[in-house]
Amino acid sequence: VQLQASGGGLVQAGGSLRLSCAASGGTFSRYDMGWFRQAPGKEREFVAAVTSSHRTRYAEFLKGRFSISRENAKNTVYLQMNSLKPEDTAVYYCARRKPTAIHSSGWSSIAIYDYWGQGTQVTVSS
């Protein structure tokens, strides 16, 4: 499985960006997918996830500003980011949740994701 993230860039506070993550190899429609981010000097943190059945999970700090979706026909998962803040500045990574992970494993632990994209930089200016 290979994941290619794109769509990052420089945006002013209050603006929007849509990130894409294109997957190749395997059967994308069967995978649960997630987005994480890592700011300089900080640990990688969970942002959002979408299951193979299109159910979604979000980090509580987002407060409804971001939306994750997937388009199986294009083997792509998206992260729509609205009302961006300078503190959203980070490298954003997409990842595949391990098919062997059970529901009780949760969604936010890095350890339950096995394949990662290369990351795309999002910079929000004030």
Side-chain angles (χ1 to χ4, degrees):
V1 176
Q2 292 186 324
L3 303 174
Q4 181 73 36
S6 61
L10 174 64
V11 63
Q12 289 187 334
S16 298
L17 280 175
R18 188 176 80 156
L19 306 183
S20 300
C21 175
S24 59
T27 305
F28 176 77
S29 61
R30 296 181 181 177
Y31 305 150
D32 299 335
M33 300 293 295
W35 283 98
F36 287 73
R37 70 184 187 183
Q38 188 166 17
K42 295 188 176 181
E43 294 185 351
R44 193 168 299 189
E45 64 179 355
F46 171 75
V47 175
V50 59
T51 71
S52 58
S53 57
H54 296 256
R55 299 178 71 175
T56 57
R57 303 286 188 278
Y58 294 97
E60 291 187 4
F61 64 79
L62 291 177
K63 296 184 179 180
R65 295 186 297 119
F66 293 7
S67 177
I68 189 171
S69 61
R70 65 189 299 157
E71 189 170 358
N72 290 337
K74 295 185 177 181
N75 289 352
T76 301
V77 60
Y78 303 100
L79 185 69
Q80 177 66 44
M81 306 186 295
N82 299 324
S83 302
L84 283 162
K85 304 176 181 180
E87 51 264 43
D88 294 319
T89 295
V91 177
Y92 284 71
Y93 299 89
C94 58
R96 185 189 78 163
R97 190 169 182 264
K98 294 178 181 178
T100 54
I102 59 177
H103 180 74
S104 61
S105 297
W107 297 90
S108 61
S109 171
I110 293 173
I112 61 170
Y113 293 82
D114 53 5
Y115 289 96
W116 294 81
Q118 85 289 0
T120 184
Q121 176 71 47
V122 172
T123 303
V124 184
S125 63
S126 58

